[in-house]
Each structure stands twice: as structure tokens, then as C-alpha cells.
């Protein structure tokens, strides 16, 4: 039985997933169909192999953002990792039901993340273009900086040089600077009557040079396939275009694999659904992370490294869907120390950091991917820890995570606070995929700690100005601070800003990690570092 708290979180997740699939709403979807076009999600469904698994990246990007402009569900673009003719690919489809597929600042970030995945894993990327271009009211946040819109074209060029296949289909509008994306791809297709590509549309042409011309003559399929030669193929409708992309991908030659170890997949011996009952509703209540791990790994088998040493971190070798993997997980269990009991609340001690550091080095030497499971409140503080060299040991762990050359995957199960987030391979440390369960919290510290700290600062500041708050005023101010901070700790706040790639049901974890390793197995090389000499 699912705990009531987790049940509510899962229901909330499913509700939000259904909402985001509607994009700009049913009315906009109907308008897309009236124009003879499929929606972004319908296009992806026709493109991928039927009844195969997919991973959607950034479904909640833009959640509760840009509300003054009517919102931007899923950032107006759908990104999926899926199979085309059994080949794993990244698919990027503009959602024209959301502001005509216009690019908001977060849209550019999401597109860059899609390209990053293709580049890191050396896998093909397919662009299904249907966009009105940059959202002009926010052009200053999306146009000129290093990680803005122009970076996408830079990546187009780099991927071509790297030999990563890029195929674009112009299935709707493709305007101004956005016109370079499909044309800088290796091959460009266009759909008749609905697809158009030009640097300036008919209105701007009229304003700029006084020429009267319609958009179809200016940049339609016949113009660019028969006259300009800008596009390579034209098709009568979306379906014909998507079928041609499938045939094209099906003819791509095989590339050598890195060769991560894989055997026949075995389901966990223990029921995965029991994860729901193991995770406590109370965020500080202890539980045994091993019980979670045993329900994620093949045959519920974990070969644990230094089991009785550094007990606030669990390290061990296992398999997920047949793939060999090294697991580094925070422990929040109460253990007996002689006659006394000691609560290990996800804190990293010096011995735990030392153990994890050595284990990560071993996995690099053996070419074994790494999975980090977060429920961490940070590194241990206090005079005893400082004198014991916690900063030194923590720095070693951060160092080895940063320099790790094998694929890394991160799942935030519970808390992910402070430097603990960094040491456990947070977003800044280049995990191949950064995932969160609905129970996740990501921030500098917990809401209680943050509100208490910020309240002290605020009270001291006001006292210096001669104002002393009553007990009731202090409590009201603390609640106000805590409410804001708790919202910012939410996994949806993180997902909206692409700090995590997805919020997932715990039962989907095996699928995400397996497809992630399969994608990473295509990497051009293990890395520029030599895994055999990684040392701290």
C-alpha cells in the first residue's frame, strides 16, 4: 500500500503530466489539425518505433514561469529520447500550440540541453521545426549571451564536425535566425503548404524593401526545393515526411560501442512497489536506503563495498536491466553503536567521503557507470569534524566526482542540500541524466534551517534600525520566509528551470538508467582523461 503522502505526490505528478501534454490547450491542438498539421507529440509518436520505451526530457520546464505572458508549458518544445529503427536518438519538436512555438529564454536552455545529450552520447538528433522564432518581448534574455539562441547554431556546426547525424524537418514556420538550425543540419526536409523558411517574412520584407510577396513564394517548399536548393526533400504532408526520416535513420551505419558490461536483465527479487511504503512521509524519519536499492537492482543483489565503514554512504556494485553499475547512496538509518543508537540523517562524515572517493576511483578503473542516490543534508559540521579534516575529505570526494570519466546518473530520492548535492554529483558535475522522485527537495538547506537563519538576519537588521519585533511578528515573518523557501525546494521548481531533467515515478527509475547507459555506450571515447590514472 502506498503511503498517503507519497500517493498524493504521485497523483499530483500524473495530473501535471496530463496537463503538460495538452501544450497550449485543446483549442490550439484543434487549430493545428485544421491546418493539416500534426501536433509535436503526434509527430514524435509517428517517428519512433511503436510500443518502445521513451524518455521525455524537461516535461515541466517553464512550469509556473512567464505567467504574465500566459505561461509557456514545457517551454514550447518537446524533447524525447527514443528508438527509430532500433537506434536510440534525440528528438526535438517545437510545440506550435504554445505561442506558435516561439522561443522563450527557457526554451533556448531546453534546446541546448537536448543538443548536449546528443553530443555527449554521440547519438543522432532529429529536429521537427515549427516555430515563430524568438519571443520578442524577452529578446534580451535569449539572443546575445553565450548560452542563448546563437549557441544552438554553434552546436549544429560542432556536431557536424563530430560526425553526429542531424536531420531537420520544416513542418511549420521557421523564421529569421531560427532558419539556420535546419539548414545547418546535415539534411533538411520541408512539408508542402505548411512548411516555410525565410530570414524575413512577407510583412518584414514589405516594410524593409517594399516588395509584395506571399510567404509561400518567399520560402515555401517549391521555392526551396526547386529554386533555391536550400532544402533537400519535400513531402505532401507530415506523415510522409516522418516516414522518410524513419527510412533515413534506418540506413545509418553502426558505430563502435565503448562496451559497458551487460548481461541478461533480471527483475528485482523484491517487489519494486514496496519502495512506496519504505520512503517515510516524515522527511527526518530514518529508513534504510539498502531497502530502496534492493528494489531497483537486478535480482536484488548488491555487492557492498566497505559495508561497516563510513556508514552514512552506501557504495556497491550491482546491475540494472543487465547493465553493470556502481551505486553511491546516502544512508538515513538509525544504527546501534554499542548500547547506544545513532541516527544517520543523510550527513556525509569524513569516513563516508573517503569510502565514496575510493569506490568512485575503482569504478573509473573498471569502466563501470555510476548511479548516485541522493538523500543528503550536507557534510558534518562542528569542531570535531573540522579538526578531523572534513573539508579536506569532502574536497577529495568533490574532486573525484568532477574528474570521473565514466557515465554518471543522479537520482534525488529525498533531500539534496548544500555541498552534499555537489559531492553526490549534482547538476554542476555533468551527470548524463539528473532525475528527481516526487519526494525530492533541492536547495542550500532545509526550509526550517533556512527560515530560522534568514529570520535571525532580518531581526538583527531591524533591531539595528530601532525596531523590535514581537514574538507573533517574528513567527509570522518566519512562516512567510519558510513558505517561499519551501516552494523553491520543490522538485517542480527545479524541473521548471531544468536543474533536473525529469521528475519520475520511482518505478520508472530502472528504465531511465538503462536507456541512459545504452545512450552513453555510443560515446566517441570514454573521455579525455585516462581512467587508469584517476587519483586523489
Amino acid at each position: 500500500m502506498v503511503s498517503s503522502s507519497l500517493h498524493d505526490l504521485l497523483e499530483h505528478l500524473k495530473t501535471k503530466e496530463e496537463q503538460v501534454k495538452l501544450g497550449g490547450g485543446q483549442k490550439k491542438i484543434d487549430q493545428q489539425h485544421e491546418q493539416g498539421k500534426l501536433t509535436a507529440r503526434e509527430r514524435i509518436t509517428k517517428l519512433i518505433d511503436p510500443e518502445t520505451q521513451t524518455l521525455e526530457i524537461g516535461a515541466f520546464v517553464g512550469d509556473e514561469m512567464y505567467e504574465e505572458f500566459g505561461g509557456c508549458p514545457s517551454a514550447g518544445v518537446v524533447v524525447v529520447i527514443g528508438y527509430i529503427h532500433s537506434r536510440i536518438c534525440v528528438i526535438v519538436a517545437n510545440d506550435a500550440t504554445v505561442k506558435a512555438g516561439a522561443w522563450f529564454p527557457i526554451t533556448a536552455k531546453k534546446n541546448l540541453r537536448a543538443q548536449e545529450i546528443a553530443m555527449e552520447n554521440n547519438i543522432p538528433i532529429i529536429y521537427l521545426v515549427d516555430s515563430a522564432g524568438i519571443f520578442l518581448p524577452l529578446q534580451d534574455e535569449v539572443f546575445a549571451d553565450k548560452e542563448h539562441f546563437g549557441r544552438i547554431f554553434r552546436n549544429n556546426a560542432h556536431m557536424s564536425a563530430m560526425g553526429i547525424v542531424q536531420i531537420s524537418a520544416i513542418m511549420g514556420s521557421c523564421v529569421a535566425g531560427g532558419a539556420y538550425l535546419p539548414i545547418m543540419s546535415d539534411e533538411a526536409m520541408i512539408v508542402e503548404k505548411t512548411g516555410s523558411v525565410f530570414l524575413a517574412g512577407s510583412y518584414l520584407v514589405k516594410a524593409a524593401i517594399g516588395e509584395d510577396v506571399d510567404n509561400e513564394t518567399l520560402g515555401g517548399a517549391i521555392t526551396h526545393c526547386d529554386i533555391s536548393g536550400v532544402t533537400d526533400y519535400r513531402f505532401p504532408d507530415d506523415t510522409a515526411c516522418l516516414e522518410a526520416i524513419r527510412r533515413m535513420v534506418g540506413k545509418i551505419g553502426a558505430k563502435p560501442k565503448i562496451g559497458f558490461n551487460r548481461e541478461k536483465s533480471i527483475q528485482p527479487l523484491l517487489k519494486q512497489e514496496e519502495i512506496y511504503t519504505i520512503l517515510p512521509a516524515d522527511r527526518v524519519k530514518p529508513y534504510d536506503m539498502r531497502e530502496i536499492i534492493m528494489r531497483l537492482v537486478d535480482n536484488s543483489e548488491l555487492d557492498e563495498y566497505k559495508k561497516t565503514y563510513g556508514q552514512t554512504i552506501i557504495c556497491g556494485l550491482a546491475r540494472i536491466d543487465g547493465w553493470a553499475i556502481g551505486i553511491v547512496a546516502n544512508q538515513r538509518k538509525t544504527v546501534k553503536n554499542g548500547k547506544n543508537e545513532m541516527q544517520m540523517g543523510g550527513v556525509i562524515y569524513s569516513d563516508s567521503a573517503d569510502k565514496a572517493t575510493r569506490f568512485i576511483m575503482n569504478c573509473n578503473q573498471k569502466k563501470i557507470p555510476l548511479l548516485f542516490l541522493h538523500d543528503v543534508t550536507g557534510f558534518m559540521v562542528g569542531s570535531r569534524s573540522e579538526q578531523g579534516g572534513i573539508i579536506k575529505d569532502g574536497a577529495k570526494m568533490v574532486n573525484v566526482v568532477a574528474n570521473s570519466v565514466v557515465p554518471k546518473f543522479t537520482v534525488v530520492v529525498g533531500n539534496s542540500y548544500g555541498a552534499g548535492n555537489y559531492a553526490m554529483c549534482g547538476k554542476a558535475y555533468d551527470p548524463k541524466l539528473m532525475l528527481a522522485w516526487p519526494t525530492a527537495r533541492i536547495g542550500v538547506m532545509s526550509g526550517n534551517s533556512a527560515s530560522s537563519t534568514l529570520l535571525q538576519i532580518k531581526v538583527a537588521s531591524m533591531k539595528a534600525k530601532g525596531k523590535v519585533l514581537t514574538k507573533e511578528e517574528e513567527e509570522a515573518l518566519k512562516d512567510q520566509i519558510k513558505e517561499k523557501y519551501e516552494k523553491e525546494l520543490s522538485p517542480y521548481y527545479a524541473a521548471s528551470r531544468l536543474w533536473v531533467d525529469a521528475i519520475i515515478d520511482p518505478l520508472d527509475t530502472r528504465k531511465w538508467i538503462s536507456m541512459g547507459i545504452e545512450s552513453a555506450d555510443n560515446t566517441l571515447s570514454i573521455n579525455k582523461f585516462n581512467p587508469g590514472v584517476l587519483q586523489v
Side-chain angles (χ1 to χ4, degrees):
M1 180 179 175
V2 184
S3 69
S4 59
S5 173
L6 185 51
H7 178 269
D8 291 344
L9 292 174
L10 290 168
E11 285 299 314
H12 184 59
L13 173 62
K14 290 174 184 175
T15 299
K16 290 185 76 70
E17 286 174 338
E18 292 303 316
Q19 288 174 343
V20 85
K21 286 177 182 176
L22 290 173
Q26 191 60 50
K27 184 178 178 180
K28 293 291 185 181
I29 292 172
D30 293 341
Q31 289 175 358
Q32 188 100 335
H33 290 159
E34 289 167 7
Q35 296 169 18
K37 300 195 295 183
L38 300 172
T39 65
R41 292 181 183 278
E42 290 168 343
R43 288 165 177 167
I44 291 172
T45 298
K46 281 186 173 291
L47 186 58
I48 60 177
D49 296 344
E51 298 181 4
T52 55
Q53 293 183 325
T54 59
L55 308 177
E56 182 169 352
I57 302 296
F60 300 118
V61 169
D63 183 54
E64 297 187 1
M65 295 174 68
Y66 312 115
E67 291 183 338
E68 67 272 32
F69 300 108
C72 185
S74 211
V77 63
V78 182
V79 175
V80 165
I81 301 173
Y83 297 94
I84 303 176
H85 276 286
S86 300
R87 180 183 294 273
I88 203 160
C89 301
V90 178
I91 304 160
V92 182
N94 297 117
D95 186 352
T97 71
V98 179
K99 296 291 187 296
W103 289 62
F104 284 70
I106 200 66
T107 313
K109 185 174 182 178
K110 185 171 176 178
N111 276 264
L112 288 169
R113 176 61 179 141
Q115 289 184 319
E116 181 182 48
I117 290 170
M119 294 169 77
E120 283 186 346
N121 296 296
N122 189 28
I123 55 179
I125 184 167
I126 318 297
Y127 308 99
L128 308 180
V129 184
D130 193 348
S131 171
I134 288 174
F135 186 66
L136 292 178
L138 297 175
Q139 66 83 28
D140 64 318
E141 298 179 40
V142 73
F143 174 68
D145 208 349
K146 181 178 179 179
E147 299 296 333
H148 282 180
F149 197 44
R151 188 76 171 184
I152 292 166
F153 312 139
R154 174 264 191 193
N155 287 349
N156 287 141
H158 276 228
M159 279 189 277
S160 289
M162 294 165 68
I164 296 172
V165 174
Q166 300 175 84
I167 300 170
S168 286
I170 302 164
M171 312 183 87
S173 298
C174 186
V175 185
Y180 289 106
L181 185 147
I183 311 310
M184 290 187 72
S185 298
D186 302 305
E187 291 175 286
M189 306 173 169
I190 190 168
V191 177
E192 295 170 358
K193 296 185 174 61
T194 58
S196 60
V197 55
F198 33 65
L199 293 181
S202 55
Y203 292 122
L204 185 54
V205 168
K206 175 68 174 177
I209 62 174
E211 180 184 2
D212 284 309
V213 60
D214 62 84
N215 283 341
E216 185 66 22
T217 303
L218 190 64
I222 292 175
T223 293
H224 284 313
C225 274
D226 297 10
I227 302 172
S228 73
V230 166
T231 52
D232 306 310
Y233 309 88
R234 62 183 168 98
F235 300 94
D237 54 36
D238 282 7
T239 298
C241 182
L242 295 166
E243 288 173 350
I245 295 174
R246 282 186 53 80
R247 292 194 299 272
M248 191 173 290
V249 172
K251 294 179 177 68
I252 297 173
K255 291 187 177 181
K257 307 287 187 183
I258 287 181
F260 297 121
N261 186 283
R262 191 180 197 185
E263 294 182 352
K264 183 180 178 181
S265 177
I266 303 174
Q267 286 295 309
L269 194 62
L270 302 176
K271 292 181 180 179
Q272 295 180 65
E273 293 82 2
E274 292 173 349
I275 289 173
Y276 295 147
T277 59
I278 294 168
L279 276 175
D282 187 343
R283 191 157 293 278
V284 299
K285 188 176 179 180
Y287 67 94
D288 192 349
M289 181 65 85
R290 288 184 186 86
E291 296 299 325
I292 301 286
I293 295 170
M294 293 301 180
R295 287 158 178 80
L296 294 177
V297 300
D298 289 13
N299 206 37
S300 300
E301 290 181 347
L302 175 70
D303 294 319
E304 196 165 340
Y305 176 77
K306 292 183 181 289
K307 183 175 181 178
T308 57
Y309 175 72
Q311 294 185 57
T312 61
I313 288 184
I314 298 168
C315 298
L317 298 176
R319 291 188 183 275
I320 289 182
D321 197 25
W323 295 102
I325 194 157
I327 296 175
V328 180
N330 302 117
Q331 176 65 299
R332 189 144 59 97
K333 184 184 177 186
T334 300
V335 298
K336 286 189 176 181
N337 183 11
K339 293 182 178 180
N340 301 318
E341 286 191 344
M342 179 177 64
Q343 165 129 10
M344 302 191 295
V347 179
I348 301 176
Y349 290 81
S350 285
D351 55 357
S352 302
D354 174 67
K355 177 171 80 170
T357 297
R358 293 173 184 274
F359 178 73
I360 293 166
M361 290 167 61
N362 288 346
C363 288
N364 275 264
Q365 186 182 53
K366 297 171 183 174
K367 206 161 67 174
I368 299 173
L370 286 159
L371 169 62
F372 293 83
L373 299 175
H374 286 219
D375 196 346
V376 59
T377 53
F379 285 89
M380 190 59 191
V381 297
S383 60
R384 185 174 178 181
S385 292
E386 297 293 357
Q387 292 167 13
I390 187 66
I391 294 176
K392 169 176 57 69
D393 293 316
K396 286 181 180 180
M397 186 174 172
V398 171
N399 189 315
V400 78
V401 170
N403 284 313
S404 178
V405 297
V406 294
K408 298 169 292 191
F409 302 90
T410 299
V411 179
V412 183
V413 172
N415 303 319
S416 184
Y417 297 152
N421 172 278
Y422 300 160
M424 292 293 293
C425 195
K427 182 72 171 179
Y429 293 81
D430 300 318
K432 293 286 186 181
L433 293 169
M434 178 84 183
L435 310 170
W437 288 359
T439 47
R441 289 290 183 272
I442 302 171
V444 174
M445 61 183 73
S446 71
N448 282 330
S449 298
S451 57
S452 296
T453 303
L454 292 171
L455 177 66
Q456 290 178 44
I457 296 171
K458 184 74 173 176
V459 167
S461 173
M462 296 181 76
K463 189 175 182 180
K465 296 175 183 177
K467 178 170 176 56
V468 179
L469 298 179
T470 65
K471 189 69 174 177
E472 290 76 17
E473 287 174 330
E474 282 192 16
E475 287 299 322
L477 182 57
K478 183 177 180 180
D479 289 343
Q480 182 184 347
I481 295 170
K482 185 177 179 180
E483 182 181 358
K484 176 180 181 295
Y485 203 85
E486 286 289 347
K487 180 181 178 181
E488 293 173 0
L489 291 174
S490 162
Y492 294 98
Y493 192 91
S496 179
R497 289 149 182 80
L498 210 50
W499 300 346
V500 297
D501 292 311
I503 302 171
I504 64 171
D505 186 317
L507 300 191
D508 288 331
T509 305
R510 281 171 57 85
K511 177 186 78 169
W512 277 84
I513 301 305
S514 178
M515 286 185 67
I517 298 175
E518 182 181 354
S519 300
D521 205 27
N522 294 284
T523 310
L524 289 169
S525 62
I526 190 73
N527 208 301
K528 63 183 178 180
F529 300 105
N530 180 345
V533 298
L534 182 61
Q535 296 178 355
V536 174

